[in-house]
Amino acid sequence: MKSKKNNKGFGLLFFIVFLLIGLWPLLKGDNPRIYFIPIAFLFLVLGIINSKILTPLNKLWIKFGEQLGRIIAPIVMAVVYFIILTPLSFLIRISGKDLLKVKFSNKINTYWIKRIKDVGSMNKQF
């Protein structure tokens, strides 16, 4: 059941993609790419009737997405780390802040933090 629904969505997605590729030159006043339009409608028909012809293409598309994710995700995480988090951590260290309160101090007896707000009884939590 899930494969049929997945094939339908895959067919409709590629219908839209190929239709947009075919009609895109119209925005610039050029002639449409007429060879993409029949491909788009082929995907539409196959998607609507939930054809099993789309199953291997769909699996190939999913594998492509997984491989692309293995490449793109580490790049995005590295960009976030080096462009956002690293400069922010340098600014916090330069300012001398201890946001997690992990610095050792001989001046205090305990590291427990007294709660000001009363949370009530812990009976009947659920």
Side-chain angles (χ1 to χ4, degrees):
M1 181 91 174
K2 188 174 182 182
S3 177
K4 286 184 178 182
K5 199 173 202 181
N6 203 2
N7 283 343
K8 183 177 182 178
F10 175 76
L12 294 177
L13 171 73
F14 272 84
F15 161 71
I16 293 169
V17 168
F18 280 113
L19 189 66
L20 287 175
I21 291 171
L23 298 177
W24 189 263
L26 289 175
L27 293 175
K28 298 178 185 175
D30 295 337
N31 292 330
R33 297 180 185 131
I34 204 73
Y35 41 88
F36 283 106
I37 309 276
I39 297 171
F41 282 103
L42 178 68
F43 273 105
L44 176 66
V45 169
L46 291 174
I48 289 175
I49 64 172
N50 285 329
S51 177
K52 291 187 179 187
I53 297 171
L54 293 178
T55 301
L57 294 173
N58 193 2
K59 287 182 180 179
L60 189 66
W61 181 250
I62 290 171
K63 293 288 183 192
F64 174 70
E66 289 172 353
Q67 295 301 322
L68 196 61
R70 288 183 183 169
I71 296 168
I72 298 298
I75 293 171
V76 170
M77 294 302 289
V79 166
V80 167
Y81 183 78
F82 288 114
I83 293 180
I84 297 173
L85 295 177
T86 302
L88 187 63
S89 69
F90 285 142
L91 288 174
I92 291 172
R93 285 185 185 192
I94 289 171
S95 68
K97 296 211 183 251
D98 183 21
L99 298 177
L100 297 177
K101 299 188 180 357
V102 293
K103 288 184 181 176
F104 182 75
S105 175
N106 288 328
K107 297 178 183 177
I108 59 175
N109 294 330
T110 182
Y111 288 98
W112 283 93
I113 300 171
K114 297 231 181 210
R115 183 182 294 254
I116 298 171
K117 181 180 170 186
D118 182 29
V119 294
S121 172
M122 296 301 280
N123 296 332
K124 298 183 182 179
Q125 294 181 31
F126 302 104

